[in-house]
């Protein structure tokens, strides 16, 4: 679980580079991450606009005119010895995190309202939750992937339950052919709504830094 | 004492009455169900009758149904850090 890898943009796989090229070309529109994960009614906050990011932010990336490298096999991501790229990730103005709540993945940032597809039974409205299981931590130029999760000591993600709501009542009529009997099934599923209050990346603890330094890259 | 860990991989639908009775005796009600039986000639004979439908391994310790279920659950992913304030003027709080 301590084996963590930070990948720079230049060594990412081609299909991921494609996504970043898309982001770079449409600088005037709100970015929509086209990552195929299950996410429900996420309302992204306006501070994610690319135009608000200052131009003097150092971006160690290849120019978009360069053709994506044709690779026969997947290039191995660099296992950075001292996790120093994490400070570079932290220095960027906006960050996102992919958290897993009861097995469901959500890509969120601070200020996002997340409507969970279920009701959390052991919490009340107003409670502050600390989200512990993160698969990815990223910013515009850096992505940190967990194996399978990122160490809990490296980040703090807090969310507040703001609502316990329900969908509108829906009725399903079930009827067999050549019969008059109709069965009606009612559904009114209940959902919990969270708001992500903060996403903080901590300094790397010394024990973790030495462990990452001694581990060999795959 | 060692135990057989038996998992039903192929369904009993379409199988003979005898095979389905063996599955019933083993406690395998549906696909992907896992049961633990002590290693004995009786259990071995039952497994041999329906061996094409099962995955069997030998383990030291059997798990209870509750333990099997708990292993399947994904991690909660959160813990309550601070409880919200209880307001008396709101119903249901």
């Amino acid at each position: 679980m301590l084996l963590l890898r930070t990948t720079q943009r230049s060594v990412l796989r081609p299909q991921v580079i494609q996504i970043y090229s898309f982001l770079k070309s449409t600088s005037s529109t709100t970015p929509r991450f086209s990552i195929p994960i299950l996410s429900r009614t996420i309302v992204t906050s306006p501070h994610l606009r690319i135009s608000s990011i200052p131009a003097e932010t150092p971006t160690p990336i290849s120019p978009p005119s360069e053709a994506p490298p044709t690779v026969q096999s997947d290039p191995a991501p660099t296992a950075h010895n001292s996790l120093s790229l994490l400070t570079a990730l932290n220095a960027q103005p906006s960050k996102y995190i992919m958290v897993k709540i009861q097995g469901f993945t959500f890509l969120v940032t601070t200020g996002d309202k997340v409507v969970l597809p279920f009701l959390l039974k052991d919490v009340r409205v107003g409670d502050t939750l600390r989200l512990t299981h993160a698969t990815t931590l990223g910013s515009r130029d850096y992505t940190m992937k967990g194996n399978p999760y990122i160490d809990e000591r490296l980040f703090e993600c807090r969310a507040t339950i703001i609502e316990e709501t329900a969908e509108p009542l829906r009725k399903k009529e079930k009827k067999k052919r050549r019969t008059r009997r109709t069965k009606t099934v009612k559904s009114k599923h209940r959902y919990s709504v969270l708001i992500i209050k903060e996403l903080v990346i901590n300094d790397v603890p010394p024990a973790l830094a030495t462990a990452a330094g001694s581990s060999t890259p795959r | 004492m060692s135990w057989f860990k038996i998992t039903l991989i192929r369904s009993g639908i379409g199988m003979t009455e005898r095979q389905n009775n063996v599955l019933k005796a083993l406690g395998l009600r549906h696909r992907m169900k896992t049961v633990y039986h002590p290693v004995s000639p009786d259990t071995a004979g039952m497994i041999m009758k329906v061996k094409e439908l099962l995955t069997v391994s030998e383990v030291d310790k059997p798990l209870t149904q509750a333990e099997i279920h708990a292993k399947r659950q994904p991690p909660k992913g959160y813990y309550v850090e601070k409880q919200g304030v209880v307001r008396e003027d709101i119903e249901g709080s």
Side-chain angles (χ1 to χ4, degrees):
Chain A
M1 195 156 143
L2 278 180
L3 180 66
L4 301 164
R5 292 194 226 116
T6 49
T7 58
Q8 281 199 336
R9 276 180 59 149
S10 53
V11 296
L12 285 175
R13 295 186 208 172
Q15 64 263 32
V16 184
I17 292 172
Q18 293 296 333
I19 294 169
Y20 279 65
S21 310
F22 160 77
L23 282 175
K24 277 179 68 66
S25 57
T26 56
S27 57
S28 57
T29 56
T30 315
R32 300 281 300 170
F33 286 98
S34 53
I35 299 171
I37 54 159
L38 179 69
S39 58
R40 302 219 175 211
T41 47
I42 290 174
V43 176
T44 51
S45 48
H47 73 263
L48 269 183
R49 289 183 191 283
I50 286 179
S51 52
S52 67
I53 295 171
E56 52 271 8
T57 310
T59 52
I61 40 156
S62 54
S65 56
E66 199 177 81
T70 52
V71 286
Q72 300 305 317
S73 59
D74 292 336
T78 329
H80 208 272
N81 283 333
S82 61
L83 288 178
S84 64
L85 286 175
L86 194 62
T87 46
L89 195 157
N90 201 6
Q92 300 216 287
S94 33
K95 299 165 258 296
Y96 69 88
I97 192 168
M98 279 166 67
V99 288
K100 288 190 96 149
I101 303 173
Q102 286 182 3
F104 287 79
T105 316
F106 301 98
L107 192 155
V108 290
T109 181
T110 46
D112 281 355
K113 187 169 82 162
V114 185
V115 182
L116 303 176
F118 43 81
L119 192 75
L120 294 174
K121 298 268 175 69
D122 51 345
V123 296
R124 282 195 315 211
V125 172
D127 288 354
T128 304
L129 306 181
R130 174 85 177 266
L131 304 176
T132 52
H133 286 67
T135 47
T136 309
L137 196 60
S139 66
R140 186 170 179 271
D141 300 318
Y142 300 94
T143 311
M144 181 177 190
K145 293 183 180 181
N147 185 22
Y149 301 112
I150 294 172
D151 198 294
E152 277 179 39
R153 294 170 283 179
L154 291 173
F155 68 95
E156 285 176 21
C157 186
R158 288 188 179 83
T160 311
I161 311 282
I162 54 168
E163 199 181 352
E164 274 181 4
T165 181
E167 58 163 342
L169 179 74
R170 63 188 154 96
K171 291 182 190 172
K172 187 179 192 134
E173 303 245 317
K174 299 186 82 176
K175 189 190 169 296
K176 298 270 194 277
R177 294 165 77 177
R178 295 175 291 279
T179 353
R180 292 176 194 185
R181 205 169 104 88
T182 310
K183 182 177 170 183
T184 311
V185 179
K186 294 194 290 187
S187 297
K188 197 178 172 73
H189 289 204
R190 299 189 59 198
Y191 306 125
S192 288
V193 184
L194 312 174
I195 198 160
I196 308 294
K197 285 287 191 186
E198 65 169 324
L199 173 57
V200 169
I201 296 172
N202 297 331
D203 297 327
V204 182
L208 203 62
T210 49
S214 60
S215 70
T216 52
R218 280 195 203 162
Chain B
M1 170 146 98
S2 25
W3 297 73
F4 283 130
K5 179 186 171 188
I6 309 163
T7 309
L8 186 64
I9 298 294
R10 308 256 348 229
S11 169
I13 299 168
M15 297 294 117
T16 65
E17 197 184 329
R18 194 180 282 270
Q19 286 172 325
N20 277 315
N21 288 338
V22 170
L23 292 179
K24 195 172 179 181
L26 286 169
L28 296 165
R29 286 178 171 271
H30 54 79
R31 233 190 112 235
M32 306 317 283
K33 183 157 168 68
T34 307
V35 288
Y36 290 81
H37 285 288
V39 172
S40 68
D42 308 345
T43 318
M46 280 199 274
I47 291 169
M48 289 308 289
K49 279 283 181 188
V50 287
K51 61 185 182 324
E52 292 85 8
L53 311 176
L54 310 175
T55 298
V56 183
S57 60
E58 200 171 323
V59 295
D60 292 323
K61 197 173 87 74
L63 298 176
T64 59
Q65 202 50 43
E67 284 171 338
I68 294 168
H69 180 75
K71 266 191 148 182
R72 273 209 177 111
Q73 298 304 305
K76 257 190 1 180
Y78 65 89
Y79 63 86
V80 181
E81 208 178 45
K82 194 172 81 162
Q83 291 219 312
V85 176
V86 176
R87 286 181 54 177
E88 288 168 3
D89 56 335
I90 295 174
E91 286 177 23
S93 64

